[in-house]
Amino acid sequence: MLLQFPTDIFLYTLSFTCVHDLCSLHLVSRQVKHLISDNEESIYHQAAVLHRFAPPEISLDKVKRLEARNSAWLDDVGSWKELCRRWTVIERNWDGDGALLEGGYTSDDGVLHFKVDEEERTVLAVSRSGGMTIHAMEDNRVLWRFSKDYLVRTRCELSGGFLVFPSNHRGIEVWRRSSDVFSASPDQRAIATPISEPSSSAALAFQFAEAALVSAHFPPTSRDGLRGQYTPHAYIGQPYVDTVRIFRVRSPVLALMSIQDRNAVLLFDLANGMLLRRISFGMERVLGAPQGFRPPPVSDRVVMDIDVSDAWVVVCLHSAVIVVPRDGHAGDDGQTTPTLVLAEDDPPQLLQDTAMQLQKVDDVQEYTGPLFMPQTPSSSFACVPGIDAMQKFRVVPPAESVQLANTQALVQVGGRHVPQCFVAARFSPDGRHFAAVTVFGLLYVVPDFARVARGAASFEDIAKRVYMGEWLRDLVWEGQPRRLAVQTASEEMYLVNLDSLYHSLHPTSSAAATAQDPFADMAVYHLTDFSNPDLGWARARGVAFSGVQLTQTMLWMIWDLALLRRTVTQQRRTGRRSSSRERERGGGGPMPSENGSVCFISFTPGLESEGRINDAA
């Protein structure tokens, strides 16, 4: 009957048809198949808009350029149909319905911290014994290296081509990718490197000495040119900074707190090194906190984490999460700049019981075993089924009996107040939302938090609280607006999909998210191959490892590569599924190594195939 309509009406009707149904329509008749093939670009352009793979009224080239800022996974896409196919494949992989490429890179000296540069395809790894090595991602060969005495057991930040780390001279150093300095394209914003005197942020002599020393050992070659190399850009020290307490980089801004200034965040422009603003998080006008909230004195404030967006700064204290506007003028009523405070009056046990809970989803697919890929002497890779490597959990409300029991519970008067022990807080990539985690296993997701500043809501009204079931230590929300990664104290890894129905790829899905609750359909995935209950506790005896990075196509972390190989090979040979969440600590098997390796999960298997779109749908 549909074929009786004019072609333009037929095509308009197909604009409301999902990719899954378009694949089925191909099988209806030859006439339908030819009609779809003749109008393929228009039909799949509409499908890309329907599934939110692309904004409306934007060309394919512009969509590819927008994605190319973070990843090259759409670089060679030549049609809307291929774009839809790739989005479908990668979303299925992220949801555990496809395949995953798991692997890592060997390291002679262990890795303490790392960063990944997707644009140059390099891995920057800080060694346990000091120094930083920049490796090529494809074969792990060394491209450049800071000396061990110059950069000693610290963490670094990389954003927009700027590499930032604390200096042995107590300030903070800013280096820049050499390729951006010496091979900049004409359309790039002009940035003078290095910053020179009389600027107080001018690069210093010891930085140039280190650059000359390293360049003598790793001169530019015809094969790689300036890839993986860095040059001094700035040094930020006195009079602004004495000893760096904590810092975060979101290009073009560096946010840091200094030991000498315990109640303020300093914002610097990375391009010119200038101080943009000093933001104090005073408590003259508090919004969002419980009625009985009393901030601790400045001398007792334990800062666990900070982050910065285009409009806000978040400071994660042990007892509360504080969000402050960058411009100091968020209020429309002329009053003092508001300080948004996420805090709790209830004890952690009560919050755990009344939070959203994780409910294990029983597998409906059969285990098919690993698909191995070639290994190299310095790395190893294996392609495994997502159903076997990602244990899915639904996020469900607590049982009614638990809620009823807690509403009738007696509260001890005068009892010792247990702090919430927040340990990390992050803004979403677009800066509209933020998330936080606590030692006691609680994940907070706060959508559109600016409503609290406008007086339209309180944190109690809008904050989603999820009990993850394990002690938590870190949170990463970058690369993707709807997914974040959570790391436990024992280094278990969880992926959180904040809205599993966003792209409406499943036949039964519907657009359930609303403006009031953009994260209405959450799902959690436990990464079982990167799971060993003894790992975090074994490493805790030495130097703490850190570093998790999330991109559009990959998740990076520090892990034990020997344990990963054992899990992928030995355990799967017997057909046993990983069930690390239920394993007891100290349950036998080889002890984890105290030397970490940079490991990853790639969600790209299937993208390279030029097969039919229904192969992925």
Side-chain angles (χ1 to χ4, degrees):
M1 180 177 178
L2 188 61
L3 294 175
Q4 297 177 1
F5 291 104
T7 301
D8 56 343
I9 297 179
F10 175 78
L11 295 177
Y12 177 75
T13 304
L14 291 188
S15 69
F16 301 98
T17 305
C18 67
V19 168
H20 182 272
D21 292 334
L22 285 175
C23 299
S24 300
L25 277 175
H26 274 274
L27 307 176
V28 171
S29 69
R30 289 185 178 180
Q31 186 177 359
V32 172
K33 181 178 180 180
H34 289 312
L35 191 56
I36 293 177
S37 298
D38 292 342
N39 299 276
E40 194 170 80
E41 277 298 281
S42 173
I43 291 173
Y44 282 101
H45 184 186
Q46 292 298 324
V49 174
L50 176 69
H51 289 289
R52 304 185 188 182
F53 299 154
E57 301 179 359
I58 289 184
S59 68
L60 179 61
D61 286 340
K62 187 171 183 179
V63 171
K64 290 163 59 177
R65 287 197 301 272
L66 291 174
E67 286 295 329
R69 295 175 183 175
N70 303 313
S71 178
W73 68 293
L74 295 179
D75 273 1
D76 57 345
V77 167
S79 67
W80 286 105
K81 181 179 180 180
E82 176 62 13
L83 180 137
C84 288
R85 187 193 71 82
R86 294 199 184 188
W87 265 108
T88 303
V89 168
I90 202 167
E91 286 295 319
R92 284 173 56 85
N93 290 345
W94 278 103
D95 290 340
D97 297 325
L100 313 176
L101 179 64
E102 299 177 342
Y105 303 95
T106 57
S107 174
D108 296 334
D109 203 16
V111 178
L112 181 70
H113 185 72
F114 78 96
K115 282 294 176 181
V116 171
D117 184 347
E118 282 210 318
E119 292 183 44
E120 287 204 336
R121 305 292 293 170
T122 57
V123 179
L124 295 76
V126 178
S127 168
R128 285 175 57 89
S129 60
M132 176 193 292
T133 304
I134 293 87
H135 300 267
M137 200 178 290
E138 65 272 14
D139 58 10
N140 204 34
R141 71 184 185 280
V142 177
L143 300 173
W144 215 65
R145 178 184 287 134
F146 286 95
S147 60
K148 291 187 176 182
D149 295 331
Y150 188 82
L151 195 153
V152 182
R153 288 163 61 150
T154 186
R155 58 180 292 270
C156 62
E157 290 280 322
L158 179 67
S159 180
F162 291 97
L163 173 63
V164 182
F165 53 86
S167 173
N168 290 337
H169 298 264
R170 306 182 75 180
I172 196 160
E173 298 187 32
V174 183
W175 292 59
R176 194 171 169 217
R177 278 189 309 221
S178 297
S179 57
D180 293 343
V181 178
F182 303 110
S183 305
S185 59
D187 59 341
Q188 285 186 312
R189 184 166 66 99
I191 299 176
T193 299
I195 297 175
S196 56
E197 295 180 347
S199 171
S200 58
S201 299
L204 301 182
F206 63 84
Q207 293 177 272
F208 295 107
E210 175 68 11
L213 177 65
V214 178
S215 297
H217 290 87
F218 299 95
T221 64
S222 58
R223 177 182 180 184
D224 295 302
L226 297 172
R227 179 189 178 194
Q229 300 192 8
Y230 288 81
T231 190
H233 176 71
Y235 179 85
I236 300 175
Q238 295 288 359
Y240 305 118
V241 178
D242 182 9
T243 301
V244 177
R245 187 180 189 184
I246 194 169
F247 68 102
R248 182 75 56 195
V249 176
R250 285 210 182 189
S251 182
V253 174
L254 161 66
L256 66 83
M257 295 183 68
S258 173
I259 292 294
Q260 69 190 35
D261 195 352
R262 301 174 62 89
N263 195 45
V265 176
L266 304 180
L267 300 184
F268 292 88
D269 187 319
L270 284 170
N272 56 32
M274 293 180 58
L275 176 66
L276 298 174
R277 190 173 186 84
R278 178 187 180 275
I279 302 176
S280 61
F281 37 100
M283 299 291 178
E284 294 82 7
R285 183 186 175 203
V286 171
L287 297 179
Q291 188 172 4
F293 173 77
R294 295 292 181 270
V298 174
S299 59
D300 295 340
R301 293 178 186 175
V302 180
V303 178
M304 304 298 295
D305 198 10
I306 64 172
D307 199 8
V308 61
S309 71
D310 291 340
W312 299 85
V313 170
V314 62
V315 178
C316 178
L317 302 179
H318 207 231
S319 56
V321 177
I322 297 174
V323 187
V324 185
R326 277 178 53 173
D327 60 8
H329 301 287
D332 298 328
D333 51 9
Q335 299 185 42
T336 306
T337 301
T339 300
L340 312 185
V341 176
L342 171 64
E344 298 280 12
D345 269 343
D346 295 325
Q349 180 63 57
L350 178 60
L351 296 173
Q352 290 173 348
D353 292 343
T354 57
M356 303 289 281
Q357 306 290 312
L358 300 188
Q359 181 185 76
K360 183 178 178 181
V361 176
D362 293 331
D363 299 330
V364 295
Q365 302 181 37
E366 294 184 359
Y367 165 70
T368 58
L371 307 173
F372 293 103
M373 297 189 70
Q375 300 189 11
T376 66
S378 59
S379 58
S380 63
F381 309 94
C383 191
V384 299
I387 190 65
D388 186 59
M390 298 174 65
Q391 176 61 63
K392 184 177 181 179
F393 293 85
R394 294 190 186 94
V395 179
V396 299
E400 292 185 10
S401 58
V402 173
Q403 298 185 62
L404 180 61
N406 280 298
T407 59
Q408 298 175 350
L410 298 176
V411 179
Q412 181 181 359
V413 178
R416 181 176 178 273
H417 179 71
V418 180
Q420 298 309 311
C421 298
F422 289 97
V423 291
R426 290 287 189 279
F427 288 115
S428 61
D430 61 7
R432 294 184 56 235
H433 323 294
F434 79 85
V437 294
T438 74
V439 166
F440 295 107
L442 293 170
L443 165 66
Y444 289 78
V445 180
V446 186
D448 193 13
F449 64 87
R451 289 178 288 172
V452 178
R454 298 192 297 266
S458 67
F459 282 127
E460 183 180 1
D461 298 329
I462 64 176
K464 281 180 169 290
R465 191 191 307 118
V466 182
Y467 178 49
M468 302 295 292
E470 300 192 44
W471 294 7
L472 303 180
R473 61 166 283 195
D474 204 359
L475 163 74
V476 175
W477 196 353
E478 60 187 2
Q480 297 195 47
R482 297 183 301 104
R483 288 188 178 92
L484 54 87
V486 176
Q487 188 176 38
T488 72
S490 59
E491 300 198 21
E492 306 274 309
M493 290 299 307
Y494 290 84
L495 284 172
V496 181
N497 187 340
L498 298 170
D499 185 2
S500 58
L501 303 184
Y502 180 82
H503 287 297
S504 303
L505 286 175
H506 305 286
T508 58
S509 65
S510 60
T514 64
Q516 289 72 32
D517 190 2
F519 306 134
D521 298 284
M522 295 176 64
V524 175
Y525 299 87
H526 181 217
L527 306 180
T528 55
D529 287 344
F530 293 83
S531 174
N532 185 295
D534 296 319
L535 182 60
W537 309 107
R539 288 182 177 169
R541 296 194 295 266
V543 180
F545 290 69
S546 64
V548 178
Q549 195 165 335
L550 186 66
T551 70
Q552 180 66 56
T553 59
M554 300 182 74
L555 175 68
W556 297 84
M557 72 208 81
I558 296 180
W559 191 252
D560 190 315
L561 189 55
L563 287 180
L564 178 61
R565 288 173 178 154
R566 176 179 176 271
T567 300
V568 171
T569 58
Q570 295 182 15
Q571 291 188 8
R572 282 187 169 87
R573 283 174 185 167
T574 62
R576 291 189 295 112
R577 291 292 309 277
S578 300
S579 56
S580 57
R581 189 177 169 92
E582 289 79 25
R583 287 205 310 264
E584 294 293 332
R585 290 187 171 89
M591 282 299 294
S593 167
E594 293 187 7
N595 288 334
S597 302
V598 178
C599 296
F600 63 84
I601 300 179
S602 173
F603 296 86
T604 59
L607 291 190
E608 67 284 350
S609 172
E610 292 282 343
R612 296 173 301 167
I613 193 168
N614 49 314
D615 292 337

